[in-house]
Amino acid sequence: MFAHRITLFELYGFKVQIDASWLLLAVLIVWSLAAGYFPVVAPGLSPVAYWWMAVIGLIGLAASIVVHEFAHSIVARGYDMPIKGITLFAFGGVAEMSEEPSSPWGELWMALAGPATSVVIAGLFYLVAEGLTAMLGGGHPLAVVAGYLAFINLVLVVFNMIPAYPLDGGRVLRAGLWLWTRDIVRATRIAAGAGSLMAFLLMALGVFAFLTGSPIMGLWWLLIGMFIRAAATQGYQEQVARAALSSEPVSRFMRREPVAVTPELPLDRLIEDYFYHHYFKSFPVAVDGRLVGCISIERVKTLDAEHRALSNVGAVMDQCGPDNTVAEDAEAAKALRQMQRTGRSRLFVVRGQRLVGVLSLRDLMNYLALRMELEGEQAVAPAK
């Protein structure tokens, strides 16, 4: 989802990052607060004061979003849901789960944790605003900023609790439907449908705002609607894929007799005879059928021409590990999640230490597309 990220800090094992798209949102927030909101609610201050208030408001909003996502992440960890990290991006923030919840109760409490925390944050900022007003007088810049942060956190709670997936309210809806139907695919389909409906309403609101003289607000409603629509569709498709692959072993989809290289192979022959011939970006390194390492184009391209001419695969290969290998009897759904988590499109399939095949993301996607085309929703119907 995110191409250009900067790590801000790491806390309790969660890496907090900022996506480049957040900078656009930050500029728009500061501009709208300094030029629009604060001059209305606190008239009579200098332009410099409004800009400093806007910057402080942005920092407070970003911190509120991070704490909101931390609440999601901590509860998710308690229910064994891996969280890759927290990322601020153009539409707010997200705790990136590498796996979906394993139970409806885990989904429910994880979804509620964020809004509940935001309510607490709003209450704290309200108390700060009241205290500053009592000490410094009404209309003081710091009191106004604290009041804004109390208000915006409540707005985020209301918006997030709309029952439209993937918003927090949509996840609460899915958890309830999951408890009721005992079918996560059906629950996801309904919640994602609500998300799509919400997305279309937001896009319609954006068009209306654009036509009635609010082009910037209209553009944001359009973009938010498009994002929710895409996320809802992707969430349902991923759930369908996991359900369809949950009872299938990796061995069913792997390609046997994989193309492997030996440690003695010169790097220039690796490039000419393997990278340029098979078009794969990585190859397993095997000796008598035993997997001893992996060689990738990322590793080779770091070497200059002289090193490539003088070195062989064994001198520069990497050790294989849980990111690029999978057992042949593992669930295909687990392998798919592994690919999504690591961004790899191929996994080397092993039986113990022996290389027995290669699993590709393209083969899994082709299987899912064909099965859905032939069987429709029956392809992921729960067993009776």
Side-chain angles (χ1 to χ4, degrees):
M1 182 187 294
F2 308 108
H4 305 288
R5 293 187 286 191
I6 299 173
T7 299
L8 298 178
F9 60 89
E10 186 170 341
L11 185 64
Y12 298 120
F14 301 116
K15 186 178 294 185
V16 179
Q17 298 177 307
I18 183 171
D19 183 69
S21 62
W22 168 259
L23 300 178
L24 174 61
L25 178 63
V27 170
L28 288 174
I29 290 174
V30 170
W31 175 76
S32 62
L33 290 177
Y37 181 81
F38 287 140
V40 172
V41 298
L45 301 176
S46 68
V48 174
Y50 290 133
W51 283 104
W52 276 113
M53 291 166 67
V55 171
I56 295 172
L58 172 68
I59 295 172
L61 176 59
S64 298
I65 293 173
V66 169
V67 174
H68 174 108
E69 298 302 333
F70 257 113
H72 285 311
S73 302
I74 291 171
V75 174
R77 175 183 284 177
Y79 282 91
D80 297 322
M81 290 180 272
I83 300 292
K84 293 190 292 184
I86 296 170
T87 300
L88 295 173
F89 70 118
F91 301 107
V94 62
E96 298 179 75
M97 290 191 297
S98 56
E99 294 187 20
E100 284 293 295
S102 58
S103 72
W105 288 112
E107 170 97 302
L108 178 64
W109 298 125
M110 185 271 295
L112 289 174
T117 301
S118 291
V119 170
V120 174
I121 294 172
L124 292 175
F125 276 122
Y126 174 78
L127 293 176
V128 170
E130 290 294 303
L132 290 173
T133 299
M135 289 188 297
L136 303 175
H140 189 278
L142 291 178
V144 173
V145 173
Y148 158 75
L149 291 172
F151 168 74
I152 197 64
N153 272 281
L154 286 180
V155 170
L156 292 175
V157 170
V158 173
F159 181 77
N160 266 307
M161 286 307 295
I162 294 173
Y165 187 86
L167 299 178
D168 293 335
R171 288 190 171 273
V172 171
L173 173 63
R174 184 172 77 159
L177 291 168
W178 189 2
L179 281 167
W180 179 42
T181 64
R182 305 295 178 182
D183 182 352
I184 188 174
V185 177
R186 183 181 176 190
T188 304
R189 184 179 71 249
I190 297 172
S196 295
L197 177 60
M198 176 65 184
F200 288 128
L201 291 175
L202 288 175
M203 287 188 280
L205 181 61
V207 172
F208 177 77
F210 193 87
L211 295 176
T212 54
S214 301
I216 295 179
M217 182 61 68
L219 178 61
W220 273 108
W221 285 127
L222 279 170
L223 291 175
I224 292 172
M226 292 170 62
F227 169 76
I228 291 177
R229 165 65 175 167
T233 301
Q234 180 181 355
Y236 176 59
Q237 291 174 343
E238 289 179 352
Q239 194 58 61
V240 167
R242 288 168 178 161
L245 297 173
S246 62
S247 60
E248 302 289 353
V250 166
S251 57
R252 174 174 177 177
F253 306 102
M254 71 182 187
R255 292 182 179 265
R256 303 177 188 276
E257 300 181 2
V259 178
V261 300
T262 62
E264 296 79 16
L265 181 70
L267 289 183
D268 54 358
R269 298 320 313 162
L270 170 71
I271 295 171
E272 290 295 332
D273 298 342
Y274 288 86
F275 286 135
Y276 292 164
H277 181 72
H278 295 284
Y279 314 123
F280 298 142
K281 292 186 176 182
S282 64
F283 290 92
V285 184
V287 176
D288 296 328
R290 183 170 57 89
L291 185 66
V292 297
C294 310
I295 186 70
S296 67
I297 194 170
E298 285 78 12
R299 185 73 177 90
V300 174
K301 71 182 183 182
T302 61
L303 305 174
D304 56 32
E306 181 180 358
H307 281 87
R308 295 178 188 178
L310 298 176
S311 299
N312 59 21
V313 169
V316 299
M317 69 181 186
D318 297 311
Q319 294 297 313
C320 294
D323 284 347
N324 56 6
T325 61
V326 65
E328 65 174 340
D329 57 354
E331 277 192 357
K334 176 184 176 182
L336 178 61
R337 292 194 298 269
Q338 184 175 332
M339 290 177 176
Q340 293 170 336
R341 184 182 73 251
T342 62
R344 299 179 185 274
S345 60
R346 300 173 77 231
L347 297 177
F348 306 132
V349 185
V350 295
R351 182 192 303 141
Q353 293 185 332
R354 297 194 65 79
L355 176 69
V356 295
V358 171
L359 179 69
S360 73
L361 179 61
R362 181 174 60 183
D363 289 340
L364 290 178
M365 293 297 100
N366 286 340
Y367 165 78
L368 290 169
L370 289 171
R371 185 168 175 180
M372 288 298 295
E373 185 173 348
L374 290 172
E375 303 179 39
E377 292 189 4
Q378 292 300 316
V380 291
K384 302 296 185 183

